[in-house]
Amino acid sequence: MNEMTSVKKLCICAICIALCCILPTAFHAVGLGTALSPMHIPALLCGLLLGPVYGAVCGIVGPVLASLITGMPPLTRLMYMAPELCVYGLIAGLMMNLVHTHKTVADLYISLAVAMVAGRIVGGIAQWLVVTVIGGGQIFTVALWVTSYIVGTLPGIVAHLVLLPALVMILEKAKVIPYRYPKVKQG
């Protein structure tokens, strides 16, 4: 099993998009939505598993669909969440294509770290545009960006760095996705 079929990739992408609707609703119901950033999980996962195109699609379609179905995120927030999540999926997938340490876990952590930084930068820029242009000249400072994108989501950052590599490894072991570095059979 060297590669996934396009049908399997589409199914996994669809599941990740559905998770963009389901996870935030569940996390917000118990008061953990903002701190754990649950919509980031499927966008990052999709990029890690399927590559940059599927990751970017999930990152855009997931929050738009969630907003239409559940009302979360609201439109103004959607305007900066969609670019942020798109970049998460795009960069996670791109980095997985570019980074080859021959250690799956190392590839995952490098890819996640770069994607999480890039997504937060793009999200901050998009939020700055929304706040200053649409918000009638309100001020969005670097301190506010650091507070909302790093300090306020620190539990989510930690959870994503623990959960996502473990989940990818579990999916490999269960043969849902192919091994990144197939083991050579001795014999």
Side-chain angles (χ1 to χ4, degrees), residues 107-126:
D107 294 355
L108 289 166
Y109 278 113
I110 292 167
S111 299
L112 275 172
V114 173
M116 291 167 87
V117 169
R120 279 173 169 73
I121 290 169
V122 168
I125 292 168

Side-chain angles (χ1 to χ4, degrees), residues 73 86 107 115 125 142 153-154:
C86 176
D107 294 355
I125 292 168
V142 172
T153 61
L154 194 55

Side-chain angles (χ1 to χ4, degrees), residues 19 50 57 64 71 76 82 114 117 120 174:
L19 287 172
L50 305 176
V57 168
V64 169
T76 53
V114 173
V117 169
R120 279 173 169 73

Side-chain angles (χ1 to χ4, degrees), residues 32-100:
L32 296 172
T34 302
L36 294 180
S37 307
M39 199 177 290
H40 298 191
I41 296 167
L44 286 163
L45 182 64
C46 193
L48 293 172
L49 296 178
L50 305 176
V53 174
Y54 287 98
V57 168
C58 177
I60 292 172
V61 174
V64 169
L65 192 60
S67 183
L68 291 171
I69 293 171
T70 68
M72 294 186 317
L75 181 60
T76 53
R77 194 156 183 200
L78 176 65
M79 293 169 65
Y80 53 86
M81 278 187 72
E84 177 186 7
L85 270 63
C86 176
V87 169
Y88 284 149
L90 176 76
I91 300 298
L94 187 63
M95 291 304 295
M96 286 299 284
N97 286 347
L98 295 175
V99 175
H100 295 283

